[in-house]
Amino acid sequence: MTLADYSDKVVLITGAASGFGKLLAERVAEAGARLALGDLNEDGLNEIAETLRKRGAPVVTRRCDVSKESDCKALVEAAVDEFGRLDIAVNNAGISQDMIPLIDTDEALLDRQHNVNVKGVLFGMKHQIRQMLTQDGGVILNTSSMAGVGGAPYIGAYAASKHAVIGLTKTAAVEYGKKNIRVNAVCPFFTMTPMFIDSGKGHMDNDTAFKALAQSSPMKRLAQPEEVVSVMLMLCAPENTFMNGQAIAVDGGMSA
Ligand code: NAI
């Protein structure tokens, strides 16, 4: 795939120490971006930053917990202090949940999902948009899920949080489109990132569960991280100038 030109674009990514966020950081760095990376996992963050710097990419990192507004603000400030602006922000950090029937879902689980998956996106966008309003606009991409589009058996709290991500995405898009700030969401199907692989450990037979999930998809397989990240790159691309407020499924046809 030919990469869009991210030359000198300042790109902020949360959840950059693993999975989609890490791979996206590598791809935009290859395409010329300057990076501000945040994650709870400081070791993972340092590792990806070191790799990218060796390849010549300018990178600033901040350990951040996206459920805390002060951390989301500090990450935006780090980008602006280091590079002078913020062009593209990807609110990607998120957590999954154990499979639990709706009737057993408790407040603590709902709060945990809400704190990271919803507050992380809202607080992130709040400070990213404030910065973008001082410039000539910007681009925001939020990571939702297919669980944010339809029903998702046994992961109700996660599904609620990912539906909220789409609500926030569309709201920001219609509030700030006039300021040349575009906001979209990506909605992946099950993808072989550490989050998904780990989700099966300990309470189900991974191979059997993964095969059953694969069979439920029209393409009869799960997604690979690269297949989702290629769409994230397209959604963030500087030349993608009129797509706004969309929640784009990358699901092998599951929602068709
Ligand atoms: P991952 O577990 O590989 O990466 C998630 C990253 O987010 C980790 O580095 C983790 O340390 C970080 N993180 C978690 N809580 C955080 C917090 N409070 N503050 C800052 N960083 C935090 O998982 P993956 O799959 O790359 O997930 C990225 C996003 O994609 C998540 O929002 C997830 O819900 C979403 N997603 C994943 C799917 C999958 O099947 N892998 C499917 C649909 C959506």
Side-chain angles (χ1 to χ4, degrees), residues 145-208:
S145 166
M146 285 315 293
V149 179
Y154 306 108
I155 50 171
Y158 178 78
S161 74
K162 293 298 187 179
H163 274 73
V165 169
I166 295 179
L168 289 169
T169 299
K170 289 178 184 272
T171 299
V174 295
E175 268 187 46
Y176 296 101
K178 61 181 173 294
K179 299 293 185 185
N180 195 32
I181 298 171
R182 297 187 301 104
V183 188
N184 293 295
V186 65
C187 304
F189 181 60
F190 297 110
T191 310
M192 299 304 277
T193 64
M195 170 192 281
F196 178 63
I197 293 165
D198 290 348
S199 70
K201 282 183 187 152
H203 58 92
M204 65 175 162
D205 170 350
N206 266 8
D207 274 354
T208 311

Side-chain angles (χ1 to χ4, degrees), residues 14-22 38-41 64-67 91-96 115-117 143-147 158 162 186-198:
T14 67
S18 178
F20 296 142
K22 182 177 176 182
D39 203 291
L40 259 186
N41 172 359
C64 81
D65 178 350
V66 296
S67 67
N91 296 301
N92 165 77
I95 53 170
S96 62
N115 281 341
V116 179
N117 295 353
T143 306
S144 177
S145 166
M146 285 315 293
Y158 178 78
K162 293 298 187 179
V186 65
C187 304
F189 181 60
F190 297 110
T191 310
M192 299 304 277
T193 64
M195 170 192 281
F196 178 63
I197 293 165
D198 290 348

Side-chain angles (χ1 to χ4, degrees), residues 4-193:
D5 184 9
Y6 282 81
S7 296
D8 293 327
K9 296 291 177 198
V10 179
V11 182
L12 177 157
I13 304 172
T14 67
S18 178
F20 296 142
K22 182 177 176 182
L23 189 55
L24 181 66
E26 291 180 8
R27 293 291 176 269
V28 292
E30 279 165 27
R34 297 174 286 169
L35 291 137
L37 305 179
D39 203 291
L40 259 186
N41 172 359
E42 203 163 11
D43 289 344
L45 205 51
N46 289 338
E47 200 180 300
I48 177 71
E50 200 181 322
T51 304
L52 296 180
R53 286 189 190 113
K54 277 188 192 147
R55 295 177 191 166
V59 183
V60 63
T61 61
R62 284 290 177 279
R63 182 195 179 276
C64 81
D65 178 350
V66 296
S67 67
K68 298 198 172 104
E69 180 168 2
S70 55
D71 283 13
C72 294
K73 184 167 183 265
L75 183 58
V76 173
E77 286 168 353
V80 176
D81 287 351
E82 188 75 15
F83 302 124
R85 57 184 290 117
L86 174 62
D87 298 296
I88 298 163
V90 185
N91 296 301
N92 165 77
I95 53 170
S96 62
Q97 66 156 98
D98 285 346
M99 297 183 82
I100 294 173
L102 196 74
I103 56 171
D104 295 326
T105 298
D106 63 17
E107 192 176 357
L109 174 58
L110 196 61
D111 285 350
R112 243 187 344 269
Q113 289 294 315
H114 187 85
N115 281 341
V116 179
N117 295 353
V118 183
K119 286 186 187 171
V121 169
L122 177 61
F123 293 150
M125 286 204 295
K126 175 174 169 181
H127 294 283
Q128 294 150 11
I129 290 171
R130 284 183 176 186
Q131 171 59 31
M132 288 171 181
L133 287 172
T134 70
Q135 313 168 171
D136 45 358
V139 176
I140 295 177
L141 177 66
N142 298 320
T143 306
S144 177
S145 166
M146 285 315 293
V149 179
Y154 306 108
I155 50 171
Y158 178 78
S161 74
K162 293 298 187 179
H163 274 73
V165 169
I166 295 179
L168 289 169
T169 299
K170 289 178 184 272
T171 299
V174 295
E175 268 187 46
Y176 296 101
K178 61 181 173 294
K179 299 293 185 185
N180 195 32
I181 298 171
R182 297 187 301 104
V183 188
N184 293 295
V186 65
C187 304
F189 181 60
F190 297 110
T191 310
M192 299 304 277
T193 64

